[in-house]
Amino acid sequence: MKSNFLCSFSVTSLSSDAFDIDLYHESLALRKRTFVDEMRWPLATLDDMETDQYDTLFSHHITAKVDNLVVATLRLLPTTHNLFGSTYMILDAHRGRLPDMPASIMQQEIIDPATWEASRLAICKSVLPRDRNALLRELINYAMDFIRGQNGSGMLGLMNPVFIRIFNRLGFSVSQFGPVCHQSDGPICVIKYDF
Amino acid sequence: MNRLQDFFSGYGYTVTSGLATANCVTSTFSASWVEKYFREGFDQIDPIFKFAEQNKRRCGFKQLTDIDMQTPLFEEAKAVSADSNIMITDFLGGSTMVLGGVNPDFSSQHLIDAQEVCKLTHRQVMTDRIEHLTDKQIDLLELIEMGLRDSEISYELGISSSAIAQRKKAICGTLGLTNFQTAAQLYTARKWSGLISP
């Protein structure tokens, strides 16, 4: 690996005793800058933050920092999540409950305390292309360690299918878990990580 | 976001790194008109392709006058609402997009937006072709994105430098480009789309 990309990772949750409000704010702010300001996705915002129905007491927010600036964020939610009619993003989309997302995207429904969903992955555009794979690899490693700490052993994500090959080359055990759907941003599919 | 149909009542465009044929046309004009257009060699006399030839490797725009359009070709095109009076060309890494659009009321205010939409459409056509790349071609693009030199790629993939050159050429061929750097940039933009703004 050529990249010498160095960053520090943290995780915070509204339900944690050590809840870090600044980190939580920076995570939602990077999502707003990335998805709303730059990509023009029609998402709900409040001031400089983007938020949705899956940012709950049960969600955990991982951030990667370089020189004290958040450069990437990822949200983790157990697939057992069910709050006020919302489960987790991939399952709600699969069931056709999210009008801006494709339906029938999962090979089968998963509701399992050992499997978590990774969503709202955003990376700051200041991260150079040559460093992005290294950053993503470390971000996923950190997420997997966190999930293992919760007695979990699997993770679902919704990404471009090209990442299946990339992640397997990077040493993860990753498989496609549903059909490829074509959207304006390109193809996406549910990816399942086993660890 | 503006789309081509916001500017033109009808349009047709070709995206190619060589000569335009009926196979590289995307059009709102009738299929029978497009088929006839190339079968009867109208592309040889249409001012749009002369304009594209003059603008080779450059982005350009031209609006035809009524006098320009007083020809048998335009008489015939008008009968099927395909009398394009607006010509736009866009160039990207060896690929040329040539667009003809119908809008008799086209104003200079439309120009910048219409050219931008053409540019985005051209880029979209090219990035959609990334789906046709093979796994081995993607492996090469991945290592290039990570900043590896050819000698390092050769070691990583266990292939010779001439095989790397052949693979780059094949990638350009699949995407319809002549510039490999553009191919690598399009790959990176497509891969990270939805995670990082382009």
Side-chain angles (χ1 to χ4, degrees), chain A residues 92-111:
Chain A
D92 282 343
H94 174 73
R95 290 174 173 176
R97 291 179 180 170
L98 300 179
D100 293 331
M101 291 181 68
S104 303
I105 53 176
M106 299 175 80
Q107 195 172 302
Q108 64 182 75
E109 292 193 359
I110 291 181
I111 299 172

Side-chain angles (χ1 to χ4, degrees), chain A residues 119-192:
Chain A
S119 62
R120 285 292 192 263
L121 168 60
I123 300 176
C124 182
K125 64 182 179 183
S126 65
V127 179
L128 296 174
R130 68 166 184 246
D131 295 323
R132 292 175 187 172
N133 276 355
L135 169 62
L136 193 53
R137 183 190 59 200
E138 296 309 314
L139 191 62
I140 290 170
N141 270 326
Y142 191 87
M144 283 167 48
D145 284 346
F146 174 82
I147 292 169
R148 278 193 199 99
Q150 311 291 316
N151 298 316
S153 59
M155 185 167 75
L156 300 174
L158 192 59
M159 293 183 87
N160 188 318
V162 76
F163 281 102
I164 295 170
R165 187 168 178 85
I166 296 166
F167 287 151
N168 281 313
R169 278 182 69 88
L170 290 174
F172 297 113
S173 173
V174 171
S175 57
Q176 186 175 332
F177 196 73
V180 174
C181 305
H182 292 273
Q183 296 204 297
S184 58
D185 293 317
I188 53 166
C189 70
V190 177
I191 291 178
K192 188 167 184 287

Side-chain angles (χ1 to χ4, degrees), chain B:
Chain B
M1 183 183 289
N2 286 321
R3 298 165 302 166
L4 289 171
Q5 50 265 47
D6 295 333
F7 296 97
F8 308 111
S9 59
Y11 63 86
Y13 63 80
T14 60
V15 174
T16 175
S17 56
L19 287 175
T21 64
N23 294 332
C24 58
V25 173
T26 301
S27 172
T28 60
F29 303 141
S30 70
S32 59
W33 167 253
V34 174
E35 191 273 328
K36 180 180 181 181
Y37 180 91
F38 283 95
R39 177 169 40 83
E40 301 201 0
F42 292 165
D43 55 310
Q44 305 295 318
I45 54 172
D46 192 332
I48 191 168
F49 286 107
K50 288 199 177 88
F51 174 72
E53 184 62 26
Q54 288 160 3
N55 268 290
K56 213 169 187 177
R57 303 177 72 84
R58 286 201 305 268
C59 302
F61 161 83
K62 188 174 179 184
Q63 184 164 11
L64 296 178
T65 65
D66 289 343
I67 294 169
D68 292 331
M69 297 170 74
Q70 284 173 358
T71 67
L73 169 61
F74 278 94
E75 286 299 315
E76 201 158 346
K78 193 171 184 176
V80 291
S81 304
D83 49 333
S84 301
N85 61 315
I86 303 298
M87 306 186 294
I88 298 176
T89 61
D90 186 68
F91 184 79
L92 178 68
S95 168
T96 302
M97 175 178 179
V98 180
L99 176 133
V102 182
N103 182 349
D105 302 318
F106 197 86
S107 72
S108 56
Q109 291 172 327
H110 294 131
L111 177 58
I112 292 172
D113 288 343
Q115 282 186 309
E116 185 60 27
V117 171
C118 277
K119 193 174 280 301
L120 290 172
T121 303
H122 189 187
R123 194 176 172 85
Q124 186 68 46
V125 169
M126 306 313 290
T127 50
D128 284 348
R129 292 178 182 172
I130 285 167
E131 309 308 313
H132 303 301
L133 296 176
T134 66
D135 285 347
K136 286 183 175 180
Q137 290 169 342
I138 286 170
D139 290 344
L140 173 65
L141 287 163
E142 277 295 309
L143 296 177
I144 286 167
E145 183 187 82
M146 289 159 67
L148 270 65
R149 292 189 296 267
D150 278 5
S151 56
E152 295 168 308
I153 292 169
S154 182
Y155 176 77
E156 279 285 329
L157 297 181
I159 59 176
S160 65
S161 43
S162 67
I164 292 173
Q166 283 172 8
R167 210 173 277 189
K168 286 180 181 177
K169 195 175 173 186
I171 289 168
C172 285
T174 301
L175 301 184
L177 297 167
T178 55
N179 183 320
F180 180 74
Q181 199 173 352
T182 303
Q185 286 167 352
L186 287 175
Y187 171 76
T188 289
R190 179 66 149 198
K191 172 188 164 187
W192 295 101
S193 175
L195 303 177
I196 303 175
S197 67

Side-chain angles (χ1 to χ4, degrees), chain A residues 5 20 22 31 34 48 54 65 74 110 118 138 189:
Chain A
F5 195 72
D20 186 332
D22 292 329
R31 282 165 40 179
T34 304
D48 64 344
Y54 307 104
K65 281 187 173 183
L74 175 71
I110 291 181
E138 296 309 314
C189 70

